[in-house]
Amino acid sequence: HRASRLYVLDFGSFDVGPGKRQIGIPGFLLQTDKGAQILVDTGFDPAYATDYAATDARDDLSGFGRLIDHTPRQTVAGQLALLGLTPADITHLVLTHGHIDHVGGLPLFGCPIILTATERALPRPLYWTASQPISWPDAPYVQISAETDLCHGVRLIPTPGHTPGHLSLLITIADTTLILAADAINRQSEPAEGFPDAMDPKRAAHSAARLFALQTLHAARMIYGHDPAQWRDLPKAPRPLAQA
């Protein structure tokens, strides 16, 4: 398999508390030349689009911020539908880490789930606060502990710090190389700020240095996890971000 097309999925916008910042919630759909459909992250629990109040009460999300104009179109199923796909069409799911805005749609998938062994070793996905309402799905798991090539043009890179088992991706499609940093570098300003959102800021800085070295080596474009300015300018599905 060779990476052939990459789409940015728009899982909605989130207001990180009054007067702070409004961020996008991204996922990605990666296609290969032999028909694999590889999903990267799953956004918030789809229940936020149908019963926000009850889901918010369960998660205590309002203690951190609020999803803005979150509709069924911004769920993982809604975004896949823009590409003519359903969750059943996904052949592999890459999970960067277990926070609430990345694992919400996880129960919809029974395909192989690819993540670091460190993240999978947690009893449940980290989610948000102590509620941790989502269990690890009954699905096959591929657990990695070192840099691993998923297919030609897709390298998985453990980047601990934001969470103990965080994962980033290096993707090459034709002449375009991209780094999907996820929350290893969630915004351009985060390294200068000292990684205040990381569980382990020192390890986060080390992981970011690895990604910046790869960026230089491959002349790659860095896609941050939640950078407001970059999010505004990224093409969203059904337009591809990169294609062969």
Side-chain angles (χ1 to χ4, degrees), residues 171-194:
I171 296 174
T172 299
I173 297 176
D175 296 329
T176 299
T177 300
L178 301 156
I179 294 172
L180 307 186
D183 285 6
I185 311 174
N186 71 36
R187 57 191 179 274
Q188 188 175 16
S189 62
E190 191 181 27
E193 295 165 4

Side-chain angles (χ1 to χ4, degrees), residues 143-161:
Q143 302 179 47
I144 69 167
S145 56
E147 293 190 17
T148 302
D149 289 329
L150 180 59
C151 66
H152 187 87
V154 181
R155 173 161 289 193
L156 307 177
I157 304 168
T159 45

Side-chain angles (χ1 to χ4, degrees), residues 51-110:
D51 193 344
Y52 193 102
T55 314
D56 180 29
R58 179 197 69 189
D59 295 344
D60 192 28
L61 184 63
S62 59
F64 177 49
R66 181 173 179 81
L67 274 165
I68 302 166
D69 299 328
H70 192 65
T71 69
R73 177 186 173 97
Q74 293 156 322
T75 65
V76 64
Q79 285 294 292
L80 291 176
L82 297 178
L83 300 170
L85 300 172
T86 71
D89 295 316
I90 299 303
T91 59
H92 304 79
L93 196 165
V94 176
L95 185 67
T96 62
H97 63 295
H99 279 157
I100 183 172
D101 52 327
H102 298 262
V103 300
L106 206 56
L108 300 176
F109 298 92

Side-chain angles (χ1 to χ4, degrees), residues 5 33 39 48 62 71 78 93 101 114 122 149 184 193 223:
R5 191 173 286 111
D33 59 349
L39 178 66
Y48 276 102
S62 59
T71 69
L93 196 165
D101 52 327
I114 303 163
L122 299 170
D149 289 329
E193 295 165 4
I223 306 297

